Amino acid sequence: MAALCRGRHRWKKINSLHIFTRSLTGKYEYDLVVIGGGSGGLACSKEAAQLGQKVAVLDYVEPSVKGTKWGLGGTCVNVGCIPKKLMHQAALLGTAVKDAKKYGWQISEPVSHDWATMAEGVQNHVRSLNWGHRVQLQDKKVKYLNMKGSLVDEHTVKGLTKAGKEMILTAKNIVIATGGRPKYPTHVRMISGIIYVALECAGFLTGIGLDTTVMVRSIALRGFDQQMAGLVTDYMEAYGTKFAWKCVPRSVDKLSSGALQVTWMDTQTGKEQKDTYDSVLWAVGRAPETKALGLDKVGVQLNNETGKIVVGADESTSVPNIYAFGDISEGRPELTPTAIKAGKLLARRLAGQSAELMNYDNVPTTVFTPLEYGCVGLSEEEAERRHGTDAIEVYHAFYKPLEFTVAERDASQCYIKVVCERRGDQKILGLHFTGPNAGEVTQGFAMSFQCGATYSHLLQTVGIHPTCAEELIKLNITKRSGLDATVTGC
């Protein structure tokens, strides 16, 4: 996927008393050394310190190809979830300004967006989070080292500063939580699919007024429910985002004018096409940060295909006393909340305070596209694959958010789908929602999955009126019935 745009850029707990225990025997300098200061690594280190462990965190950000650097907090804080959501909000406000006129607000024309103002506000907030993380580590007595960390052996980490100064740290346990870095295509023919980050970026760029095109080799939102993916991209096309479907980029050349000429092949027609853009955004995924960790020296097993670390259910690697979790680990969701929770649980196990393992099933997530898409559980395709088409029942509805009515906005893609087992108690297998505030809606319903929610539970729930989330507890039309699933009233 490539997004192309034209336009201005621009204690053990006893009787409520926390008893701290220290497992340090004197053999090692630290109980725990964490390599990686992202959301997961920070959560793990702070939790361990609160449980009486002596902890150090090593974090160093290699500048990007363009020289961009950032502070403590990892991808999510600096170049991921946080700035993405804030820029998504900027785009939503642009739509709200248009809606406001229908609600009686007198707004002078023309309305325009200033990138520099938005960027400054976003960056100021990110810097405040960087500082906050450093303060929290200090308050919890976690040693923070702005160093690249690598393994010497199963109990030894070497830290290297930007200036080349080395430091050796020994620890009873070592945790790797270095996450990943953006992939840069070395050969453009390798690009395929659209991951959610690509659509989110294309959505907010369109929303702030930039002429944006998304180039797609295969399908959108691979791994997500494909009916929902289609609704998201249909809405985006109506919103103004252009899509070059079934196309493969061939080259990007910088012209004397400074513009970028992109050449691509339409795989359906076999014809080569080209156009010029101000910017090209590669959104082809991320690669795990494993190459400089010295994993081969100590025998930590990697998946040769993905480059990620092979881990067990307890986040253990093939080497005793070395653990890994988050995006660096094979088969784990690349999501901040899972890394945070996995890190905390690992810290508790290493401190001898708990045996609880991370549950990676039914993890909710939301795609912050112009029409947001939230989901938890299985896609309809995956439910069919696991249980069979005849063994599942899909309840669904097309609805119109109240917010869209006065504004006269098209709600064709606002849709809800709940995938259930067909027999017995009709346990809910998957829940999917496109519409305003999808993340807030999905988060609430996600808890019910931990309690074994059934379709009956859904019907027994009283709705909050008038909300979009209320439509979920009113679902009564099945796909199997073939009846019109459009909601027509209360």
Side-chain angles (χ1 to χ4, degrees):
M1 200 295 305
L4 317 131
C5 68
R6 304 181 183 90
R8 185 168 53 85
H9 291 327
R10 313 193 161 204
W11 343 63
K12 183 172 171 188
K13 189 176 181 182
I14 301 176
N15 296 330
S16 298
L17 293 175
H18 291 90
I19 298 178
F20 297 99
T21 59
R22 176 66 57 83
S23 60
L24 200 61
T25 63
K27 185 177 180 181
Y28 305 111
E29 185 181 0
Y30 292 94
D31 293 298
L32 179 67
V33 168
V34 178
I35 304 176
S39 302
L42 293 176
C44 181
S45 64
K46 289 185 287 187
E47 187 74 10
Q50 284 189 293
L51 295 172
Q53 302 278 284
K54 185 179 181 183
V55 185
V57 172
L58 287 80
D59 185 68
Y60 181 85
V61 180
E62 286 284 0
S64 71
V65 173
K66 285 185 171 290
T68 305
K69 298 181 290 185
W70 53 87
L72 185 63
T75 298
C76 174
V77 166
N78 294 281
V79 290
C81 316
I82 299 301
K84 176 271 301 289
K85 179 70 182 294
L86 291 173
M87 289 187 282
H88 171 61
Q89 176 64 14
L92 292 181
L93 289 171
T95 300
V97 168
K98 296 175 184 176
D99 289 353
K101 297 176 184 178
K102 295 288 181 67
Y103 280 92
W105 286 97
Q106 303 300 308
I107 298 173
S108 300
E109 298 286 356
V111 175
S112 62
H113 179 268
D114 182 67
W115 176 279
T117 300
M118 178 192 71
E120 182 181 9
V122 171
Q123 289 169 351
N124 285 342
H125 179 65
V126 168
R127 292 188 190 102
S128 74
L129 295 177
N130 297 149
W131 175 251
H133 283 307
R134 296 192 66 163
V135 171
Q136 287 177 27
L137 291 180
Q138 184 175 351
D139 288 348
K140 297 182 188 303
K141 295 180 171 53
V142 175
K143 181 69 173 178
Y144 164 60
L145 299 167
N146 184 208
M147 292 180 164
K148 302 178 192 177
S150 61
L151 300 175
V152 177
D153 60 42
E154 63 269 31
H155 292 290
T156 309
V157 171
K158 179 177 73 174
L160 184 67
T161 69
K162 181 182 178 180
K165 181 181 178 182
E166 290 187 4
M167 177 183 287
I168 297 296
L169 301 89
T170 60
K172 180 180 179 181
N173 294 301
I174 298 169
V175 166
I176 302 170
T178 50
R181 295 277 292 209
K183 292 179 182 177
Y184 288 86
T186 55
H187 195 291
V188 291
R189 290 175 177 82
M190 296 173 64
I191 298 167
S192 64
I194 313 179
I195 55 175
Y196 66 93
V197 173
L199 289 185
E200 291 174 331
C201 290
F204 71 67
L205 288 171
T206 302
I208 62 175
L210 298 178
D211 180 3
T212 306
T213 300
V214 182
M215 189 173 293
V216 192
R217 178 179 177 179
S218 53
I219 62 173
L221 295 177
R222 185 182 301 279
F224 287 84
D225 187 288
Q226 283 302 292
Q227 180 190 9
M228 308 305 291
L231 293 171
V232 168
T233 54
D234 285 350
Y235 186 93
M236 288 183 68
E237 287 187 300
Y239 185 70
T241 305
K242 300 180 179 70
F243 284 84
W245 295 100
K246 305 295 183 184
C247 291
V248 180
R250 294 299 195 199
S251 63
V252 179
D253 300 298
K254 191 168 186 177
L255 305 178
S256 58
S257 64
L260 299 172
Q261 180 175 272
V262 180
T263 303
W264 68 90
M265 178 69 71
D266 185 323
T267 61
Q268 298 177 99
T269 65
K271 294 182 179 179
E272 188 172 274
Q273 301 182 46
K274 60 181 62 177
D275 205 343
T276 56
Y277 300 88
D278 296 304
S279 298
V280 174
L281 170 65
W282 298 110
V284 293
R286 289 181 293 162
E289 282 282 84
T290 52
K291 293 180 181 178
L293 291 172
L295 303 180
D296 54 331
K297 295 179 183 177
V298 296
V300 173
Q301 183 184 354
L302 299 179
N303 179 309
N304 292 330
E305 191 172 319
T306 65
K308 294 190 175 187
I309 298 174
V310 177
V311 293
D314 61 351
E315 324 300 347
S316 60
T317 71
S318 57
V319 177
N321 309 109
I322 299 178
Y323 300 82
F325 66 90
D327 295 5
I328 199 76
S329 305
E330 180 60 34
R332 300 298 194 232
E334 294 187 2
L335 296 169
T336 293
T338 54
I340 291 173
K341 189 167 182 62
K344 289 181 177 180
L345 291 174
L346 174 59
R348 293 168 194 168
R349 293 195 300 273
L350 295 179
Q353 300 296 310
S354 170
E356 183 183 356
L357 299 176
M358 175 64 185
N359 176 10
Y360 289 99
D361 292 330
N362 296 323
V363 173
T365 191
T366 290
V367 183
F368 290 101
T369 36
L371 184 69
E372 297 177 5
Y373 164 37
C375 62
V376 57
L378 304 181
S379 66
E380 186 175 351
E381 295 93 340
E382 183 63 17
E384 288 180 350
R385 190 185 70 80
R386 293 190 191 186
H387 300 274
T389 304
D390 292 336
I392 66 170
E393 196 75 89
V394 180
Y395 295 89
H396 68 147
F398 287 93
Y399 71 100
K400 187 161 191 173
L402 186 63
E403 301 93 318
F404 283 27
T405 55
V406 172
E408 298 178 320
R409 288 171 60 183
D410 182 18
S412 303
Q413 289 82 32
C414 291
Y415 178 73
I416 298 166
K417 174 164 65 176
V418 173
V419 184
C420 305
E421 291 180 349
R422 190 177 180 190
R423 298 177 177 84
D425 293 334
Q426 290 194 288
K427 181 181 178 181
I428 300 176
L429 304 173
L431 184 151
H432 304 265
F433 175 97
T434 53
N437 305 301
E440 310 299 338
V441 173
T442 307
Q443 181 68 83
F445 283 99
M447 189 179 76
S448 68
F449 276 66
Q450 305 305 317
C451 307
T454 66
Y455 177 62
S456 294
H457 289 139
L458 207 61
L459 296 184
Q460 291 164 15
T461 302
V462 176
I464 299 173
H465 187 68
T467 64
C468 294
E470 175 191 23
E471 301 300 333
L472 272 157
I473 58 91
K474 294 159 52 180
L475 292 176
N476 62 88
I477 302 295
T478 67
K479 275 193 172 183
R480 191 184 307 275
S481 72
L483 298 175
D484 184 2
T486 303
V487 175
T488 57
C490 296

